[in-house]
Amino acid sequence: MEKTKVGIIGLGTVGTGVARLLLDHGDRTARHAGRIPWLEKVVVRDLTKPRHVDIPEGVLTDDIQQVIQNPEITVVAQLIGGIEPARTIMLQLLESGKDIITANKALLAAHGPELFDKARQLGRCIAFEASVAGGIPIITNIGQCLTANQVTSLRGILNGTCNFIITQMQDRGEDYEDVVKEAQRLGYAEADPTLDVNGADTAQKLSILSQLAFGVRVNWEDIPCKGIDELDIADIHYADRLGYRIKLLALAKLVGHEVEMSVGPTLIRKGSPLAEVQDAFNAIRVHGDAVGPVFYHGQGAGQMPTASAVVADIVDTVVGRGQLTFNNLELWSESNRPRSMADAGPSINRYYLRMQVIDKPGVMAEITGILGSNGVSIASIIQHEPKDQDSPATVPLVIMSHDTTQSAIARSVEQFRQSENIESEAVVLKVL
Ligand code: NAP
Ligand code: HSE
């Protein structure tokens, strides 16, 4: 059987999984590709580091030119994270005639237009299934399987690390710092896990999915975004008692010709599919105007699920399907009529509010009055007796609203700030 020579740049969590699949299951990939995707070179930074895969002699190198300058290597999996040198390497690979597979969502979210334009100019392709939701084939599904539809909304748990952290804290009472370390050990977290927990990784993925689903060209940093790094365990417990779980949720929906987008910890009613997504799993609910709702669920981070997506892209590229798809998608292309991001102010949702208030006559009336004056209707309130006899005692107050606008909640929060009876900044979370 003929070979297509493949290079891998980066042999960390994902690169190791890809090398394992190509080396240990070459029969499988060859059967699907009709040729052997042959691992010719693997580039790393540090040749002395212990590796968790047996790379054949002569394949491992710290000299990237051994890939760039080798015309026999036509397909490269670019599996290093961050922006630079990943961006420059991608451009060099394209210029030297390689088709590229990447899992680097940070790079695509920041430089997708530049990289995709360059690939189109040079007649090359970039495949990126692994960049969103790990092993779930969401890019292929939105980009190819749902093309009869106008996607009208997306709701997704897109960061495995955050879902793992929340699940461990909520269901097993684990401590935040310990679970972050465990997510790093398990290979779920980014090299800098701040990007996971502050929501940036989710916003980057949402920007990629939204480009694909709606043609919205948005800077991921403009997406309203909150992470789980400021989530208080108290809110997880209150949500639980109210019958909800908190998930870091990415939301995008079509509003007229614009797209409303957000990322943030969100209360989701227990028993609904998104609420039950556990550990490092991801899930995405896509609504298409023809198909209706479709739900995808699977492992969203980690070595082998991510490698599964990368290798599927390698096979597609070796077969030649990747090039066809890339050309037809016209992603981040000028010919793709871009939509813009909608103002979230008029967006309607239910909200969860928590604040620490002074326990004295008239305070509840003041708070409900503020909400009422802004047209916010209250669905439920929890207030417990104070724990100690400090004077004046303060108590947590938890309010669930009925449907209201984001701007009505923002106005209310601004008025809470002016009150001497409210001791803390109000925690505000969306309720799905
Ligand atoms: P990682 O474990 O940190 O591995 C990165 C690899 O890149 C290392 O092997 C490193 O070499 C190599 N590298 C870094 N700079 C290099 C350079 N200048 N030249 C050559 N090699 C270089 O990262 P990862 O978790 O595998 O993630 C890789 C990419 O996949 C990232 O973009 C990440 O966002 C994305 N991703 C990760 C997951 C996941 O679950 N981990 C899932 C989906 C997508 P050394 O080993 O010699 O240091
Ligand atoms: N750090 C990412 C996550 C890897 O936890 O979801 C998968 O993109």
Side-chain angles (χ1 to χ4, degrees):
M1 203 180 257
E2 296 207 3
K3 293 175 182 167
T4 295
K5 293 191 177 171
V6 175
I8 297 180
I9 318 282
L11 194 62
T13 302
V14 183
T16 300
V18 173
R20 278 193 184 149
L21 287 175
L22 292 180
L23 293 169
D24 299 347
H25 298 289
D27 52 340
R28 207 184 280 172
T29 45
R31 181 158 43 87
H32 288 290
R35 306 169 63 82
I36 303 170
W38 183 262
L39 187 54
E40 184 72 7
K41 281 286 167 203
V42 178
V43 184
V44 294
R45 214 169 10 190
D46 179 1
L47 279 175
T48 64
K49 240 191 205 178
R51 303 288 164 186
H52 304 287
V53 55
D54 288 331
I55 301 292
E57 212 167 317
V59 172
L60 201 64
T61 176
D62 59 357
D63 176 11
I64 197 157
Q65 294 307 324
Q66 291 199 21
V67 170
I68 291 174
Q69 306 283 344
N70 184 343
E72 291 188 353
I73 298 177
T74 53
V75 175
V76 178
Q78 193 295 104
L79 301 172
I80 68 176
I83 305 298
E84 287 295 355
R87 171 185 157 273
T88 305
I89 291 172
M90 292 272 284
L91 292 169
Q92 289 173 338
L93 290 168
L94 291 169
E95 273 155 11
S96 60
K98 322 292 184 202
D99 291 322
I100 303 177
I101 289 91
T102 187
N104 189 333
K105 58 271 163 146
L107 180 60
L108 293 184
H111 293 281
E114 178 192 19
L115 294 167
F116 280 58
D117 280 348
K118 177 63 92 181
R120 276 187 284 266
Q121 271 167 28
L122 296 167
R124 305 272 46 102
C125 75
I126 300 172
F128 53 101
E129 183 61 72
S131 66
V132 181
I136 305 174
I138 190 65
I139 301 287
T140 304
N141 269 271
I142 296 181
Q144 295 177 51
C145 308
L146 297 178
T147 44
N149 292 265
Q150 171 57 61
V151 173
T152 54
S153 70
L154 293 172
R155 293 171 178 175
I157 294 170
L158 301 179
N159 185 277
T161 301
C162 290
N163 206 56
F164 178 77
I165 293 170
I166 297 174
T167 313
Q168 298 288 318
M169 286 171 71
Q170 178 165 287
D171 297 348
R172 293 173 198 105
E174 300 282 346
D175 177 67
Y176 178 83
E177 304 293 340
D178 293 345
V179 198
V180 174
K181 285 197 192 108
E182 182 64 357
Q184 287 178 286
R185 191 187 67 75
L186 292 168
Y188 301 150
E190 295 303 301
D192 175 4
T194 315
L195 295 174
D196 293 295
V197 296
N198 71 7
D201 178 82
T202 300
Q204 288 163 353
K205 290 167 175 167
L206 183 63
S207 76
I208 295 171
L209 285 187
S210 298
Q211 162 65 210
L212 202 61
F214 307 109
V216 59
R217 195 184 274 214
V218 60
N219 179 350
W220 69 268
E221 287 167 299
D222 293 337
I223 298 174
C225 175
K226 277 194 220 164
I228 63 159
D229 46 354
E230 287 167 25
L231 188 61
D232 195 314
I233 188 77
D235 295 310
I236 294 181
H237 292 322
Y238 281 117
D240 184 45
R241 288 183 38 205
L242 288 160
Y244 294 84
R245 291 187 202 282
I246 296 183
K247 298 286 177 191
L248 185 68
L249 204 67
L251 294 169
K253 76 173 179 207
L254 205 53
V255 182
H257 290 293
E258 295 183 319
V259 183
E260 190 186 302
M261 302 165 81
S262 66
V263 170
T266 303
L267 276 74
I268 309 177
R269 194 172 282 288
K270 283 183 198 172
S272 66
L274 281 169
E276 301 309 322
V277 176
Q278 301 287 307
D279 296 322
F281 279 73
N282 282 188
I284 305 118
R285 181 189 188 274
V286 181
H287 194 283
D289 61 358
V291 73
V294 190
F295 192 79
Y296 303 90
H297 179 240
Q299 297 198 62
Q303 184 167 88
M304 297 318 289
T306 312
S308 158
V310 172
V311 172
D313 273 348
I314 292 177
V315 169
D316 264 9
T317 308
V318 167
V319 169
R321 273 195 301 266
Q323 289 78 350
L324 283 175
T325 308
F326 179 75
N327 290 333
N328 292 328
L329 272 182
E330 294 197 333
L331 214 59
W332 282 299
S333 150
E334 287 302 337
S335 61
N336 216 344
R337 197 161 47 94
R339 288 194 165 94
S340 53
M341 201 159 71
D343 168 23
S347 155
I348 291 180
N349 281 286
R350 294 187 61 206
Y351 285 90
Y352 162 102
L353 305 169
R354 178 175 61 84
M355 57 204 105
Q356 194 72 15
V357 303
I358 293 178
D359 185 23
K360 69 172 193 190
V363 174
M364 183 73 86
E366 181 188 352
I367 291 166
T368 54
I370 289 174
L371 289 169
S373 69
N374 287 301
V376 179
S377 168
I378 295 169
S380 71
I381 296 189
I382 303 178
Q383 186 198 311
H384 293 293
E385 289 183 12
K387 277 196 183 133
D388 49 44
Q389 296 310 309
D390 288 354
S391 185
T394 67
V395 286
L397 183 67
V398 174
I399 298 175
M400 295 283 277
S401 81
H402 284 297
D403 270 348
T404 185
T405 61
Q406 181 160 317
S407 35
I409 290 290
R411 281 196 307 275
S412 305
V413 169
E414 188 47 46
Q415 287 169 255
F416 293 155
R417 277 189 202 118
Q418 316 302 323
S419 167
E420 287 176 355
N421 294 319
I422 301 173
E423 288 220 326
S424 65
E425 176 73 11
V427 172
V428 179
L429 303 175
K430 271 187 194 164
V431 181
L432 197 67

